[in-house]
Short mmCIF file of all heavy atoms in Angstrom, two decimals:
data_model
loop_
_atom_site.label_atom_id
_atom_site.label_comp_id
_atom_site.label_asym_id
_atom_site.label_seq_id
_atom_site.Cartn_x
_atom_site.Cartn_y
_atom_site.Cartn_z
N PRO K 206 -16.41 31.21 -40.79
CA PRO K 206 -17.35 30.31 -40.09
C PRO K 206 -16.68 29.08 -39.52
O PRO K 206 -17.25 28.41 -38.67
CB PRO K 206 -18.37 29.95 -41.18
CG PRO K 206 -17.64 30.16 -42.47
CD PRO K 206 -16.70 31.32 -42.22
N GLY K 207 -15.47 28.79 -39.93
CA GLY K 207 -14.80 27.60 -39.39
C GLY K 207 -14.05 27.84 -38.11
O GLY K 207 -13.60 26.89 -37.47
N GLU K 208 -13.89 29.12 -37.69
CA GLU K 208 -13.14 29.40 -36.47
C GLU K 208 -13.94 29.05 -35.23
O GLU K 208 -13.46 28.38 -34.33
CB GLU K 208 -12.74 30.88 -36.45
CG GLU K 208 -11.73 31.25 -37.52
CD GLU K 208 -11.34 32.71 -37.45
OE1 GLU K 208 -11.91 33.41 -36.57
OE2 GLU K 208 -10.50 33.16 -38.24
N VAL K 209 -15.17 29.52 -35.11
CA VAL K 209 -16.01 29.29 -33.95
C VAL K 209 -17.22 28.47 -34.37
O VAL K 209 -17.95 28.87 -35.28
CB VAL K 209 -16.47 30.62 -33.30
CG1 VAL K 209 -17.37 30.34 -32.10
CG2 VAL K 209 -15.27 31.45 -32.91
N GLN K 210 -17.41 27.37 -33.75
CA GLN K 210 -18.55 26.52 -34.03
C GLN K 210 -19.67 26.83 -33.05
O GLN K 210 -19.43 26.99 -31.86
CB GLN K 210 -18.17 25.05 -33.94
CG GLN K 210 -17.09 24.65 -34.96
CD GLN K 210 -16.76 23.18 -34.87
OE1 GLN K 210 -17.38 22.45 -34.09
NE2 GLN K 210 -15.80 22.72 -35.67
N TYR K 211 -20.85 26.97 -33.57
CA TYR K 211 -21.99 27.31 -32.74
C TYR K 211 -22.31 26.13 -31.82
O TYR K 211 -22.25 24.97 -32.21
CB TYR K 211 -23.19 27.64 -33.61
CG TYR K 211 -22.99 28.89 -34.44
CD1 TYR K 211 -22.61 28.80 -35.78
CD2 TYR K 211 -23.14 30.15 -33.88
CE1 TYR K 211 -22.41 29.94 -36.53
CE2 TYR K 211 -22.94 31.29 -34.62
CZ TYR K 211 -22.58 31.19 -35.95
OH TYR K 211 -22.38 32.32 -36.69
N GLY K 212 -22.64 26.47 -30.57
CA GLY K 212 -22.99 25.43 -29.60
C GLY K 212 -21.84 25.02 -28.70
O GLY K 212 -22.03 24.26 -27.77
N GLN K 213 -20.63 25.54 -28.95
CA GLN K 213 -19.47 25.20 -28.12
C GLN K 213 -19.20 26.34 -27.15
O GLN K 213 -19.36 27.52 -27.50
CB GLN K 213 -18.23 24.96 -28.97
CG GLN K 213 -18.32 23.71 -29.83
CD GLN K 213 -17.02 23.45 -30.57
OE1 GLN K 213 -16.09 24.25 -30.49
NE2 GLN K 213 -16.96 22.33 -31.28
N PRO K 214 -18.81 26.04 -25.90
CA PRO K 214 -18.53 27.11 -24.93
C PRO K 214 -17.29 27.88 -25.33
O PRO K 214 -16.31 27.31 -25.82
CB PRO K 214 -18.33 26.35 -23.61
CG PRO K 214 -17.91 24.97 -24.02
CD PRO K 214 -18.63 24.71 -25.32
N THR K 215 -17.34 29.20 -25.11
CA THR K 215 -16.21 30.06 -25.44
C THR K 215 -15.37 30.40 -24.21
O THR K 215 -14.27 30.90 -24.35
CB THR K 215 -16.71 31.35 -26.09
OG1 THR K 215 -17.63 31.99 -25.19
CG2 THR K 215 -17.42 31.05 -27.40
N GLY K 216 -15.89 30.20 -22.98
CA GLY K 216 -15.16 30.51 -21.76
C GLY K 216 -14.31 29.34 -21.30
O GLY K 216 -14.11 28.35 -22.02
N PRO K 217 -13.77 29.43 -20.07
CA PRO K 217 -12.97 28.32 -19.53
C PRO K 217 -13.82 27.09 -19.29
O PRO K 217 -14.93 27.17 -18.76
CB PRO K 217 -12.42 28.89 -18.22
CG PRO K 217 -13.37 29.98 -17.85
CD PRO K 217 -13.86 30.57 -19.14
N VAL K 218 -13.29 25.97 -19.67
CA VAL K 218 -14.01 24.70 -19.54
C VAL K 218 -13.64 24.06 -18.21
O VAL K 218 -12.46 23.87 -17.91
CB VAL K 218 -13.67 23.76 -20.72
CG1 VAL K 218 -14.42 22.44 -20.57
CG2 VAL K 218 -13.99 24.43 -22.04
#
Side-chain angles (χ1 to χ4, degrees):
E208 293 181 358
V209 179
Q210 299 181 3
Y211 295 99
Q213 292 185 356
T215 57
V218 180

